[in-house]
Amino acid sequence: MDEQATEINQNRQPLAVTLREFELTDVDDYFVWTSDDRVSAWWRWDTFTNKEDVLAFMEETVLPHPWMRAICLDGRPVGAISVTRRTAEHQCRAELGYVIASLYWGRGITTEAVKLVLGTIFGDMEGLERLEALVLVQNVGSQMVLEKAGFTKEGVLKKYLIYKGKISDMVMYSFIPTDN
Amino acid sequence: MNHDQNHQKPKTPTITLRKFTLSDVDSFMSWAADPRVTRFQRRDPYSDPADALAYITTHILPHPWYRAICIDNTPVGSISIKPAPGEDRHRASIGYRLAYDYWGKGIATEALKLTIKAAFEELDDLERLEAIADVDNPASQRVLEKAGFKEEGILRKYVRLKGETRDMVMFSFLVSEF
């Protein structure tokens, strides 16, 4: 079975990317990307240094999150993707976030995961009309993920968010249900 | 002595900003009860001054930065600054509304200029002021541009307004532009 999957990947067949909910038993996999400086460099959070902290994070933030999924490659979590809905009068919009282990960068896995989300999220979240994503202007890889998944670049919001103490310009992307 | 003999437009009246008091409720109703003004606001026009009084009491008076736009100390509109939530204290958004009879005289632009100055002087760490205007509200877009805001893009289906989801134009004014 495993060999067949490998062969399929070598023949450049579509990747076996699936999404599922996280469980605490995924902590070892979750530690892989959260302990990687190359990954955390692009995020507002600091690199995790021990599994106990990751476990606590999973208990406090990941498992209770209203919509968060493990990005799985051949059944094994290699990253995470979440949709965080705004509250009160802003419920028409939600923010997309995703992270993937650096070993798997540049292989189209994240783009595939984003497309899977786009296929279900507007049905899952009643009243959702806009899925948006904010990307650091320097994070060209992430911008390409969104563009390949069909997001529209709306503009650059200057000095919008603070990343690792630095006030940063962010590119705003959106996807609305009527986009092809 | 008016040297602008050929200038068609009347000069903008002198405007000042001050805090609201409860006795401003009648002035407040002059824009808050007007559907032409509330057209691009989430709320419906007020019909009962008691509701306006409650709003002034519970929302305006305790607000961190909410000012009456005044001509001869009489409010003709309001302008407010709202810091971004959470950690992003470097960012704040501006909203304003003006009584219909005072549109088209440069008053909102002047109020914005005064507010921009006050914001960057009073709010520690402020680096970005932002404002959004409905795509179908070109008058407000022009006001923001005249006050020095820069358009950054159109955010599609960004806010709910009276049962409809609207596209909004995002504007910013950075401390470096001040």
Side-chain angles (χ1 to χ4, degrees), chain A residues 4-21:
Chain A
Q4 194 174 27
T6 308
E7 215 177 30
I8 285 172
N9 287 336
Q10 284 169 351
N11 289 336
R12 295 180 180 274
Q13 292 298 306
L15 298 160
V17 176
T18 52
L19 305 181
R20 65 158 171 79
E21 291 192 39

Side-chain angles (χ1 to χ4, degrees), chain A residues 44 89-93 129-130 132 151-152 154-162 167-168 172 174-176 178-179, chain B residues 42 82 87-91 125 127-128 130 152-160 164-165 170 172 174-177:
Chain A
R44 298 170 94 166
E89 67 267 20
H90 303 300
Q91 283 177 69
C92 59
R93 60 186 205 258
E129 301 202 43
R130 169 190 175 87
E132 62 188 21
F151 276 70
T152 298
E154 291 174 330
V156 176
L157 307 186
K158 298 215 163 131
K159 296 196 182 296
Y160 199 67
L161 294 177
I162 303 179
I167 299 173
S168 304
M172 171 71 92
S174 73
F175 189 96
I176 61 176
T178 50
D179 289 344
Chain B
R42 275 192 305 276
K82 188 171 144 189
E87 312 150 11
D88 299 308
R89 309 304 289 182
H90 68 288
R91 196 171 108 217
D125 305 324
E127 300 230 3
R128 172 188 171 90
E130 60 188 28
E152 290 179 324
I154 295 174
L155 308 185
R156 305 175 305 158
K157 303 271 184 237
Y158 199 63
V159 296
R160 289 285 288 177
E164 223 193 316
T165 311
M170 171 68 88
S172 70
L174 305 179
V175 67
S176 50
E177 293 156 4

Side-chain angles (χ1 to χ4, degrees), chain B residues 9-29:
Chain B
K9 271 187 176 171
K11 275 171 55 178
T12 302
T14 302
I15 71 140
T16 51
L17 304 182
R18 64 157 171 82
K19 289 184 180 175
F20 273 92
T21 66
L22 291 176
S23 51
D24 291 323
V25 61
D26 291 338
S27 302
F28 180 80
M29 288 291 279

Side-chain angles (χ1 to χ4, degrees), chain A residues 138-171:
Chain A
Q138 311 94 299
N139 194 346
V140 177
S142 190
Q143 291 162 36
M144 280 173 51
V145 164
L146 293 169
E147 284 168 23
K148 282 195 261 178
F151 276 70
T152 298
K153 177 175 171 174
E154 291 174 330
V156 176
L157 307 186
K158 298 215 163 131
K159 296 196 182 296
Y160 199 67
L161 294 177
I162 303 179
Y163 269 66
K164 302 271 181 0
K166 187 167 179 289
I167 299 173
S168 304
D169 298 346
M170 307 298 292
V171 189

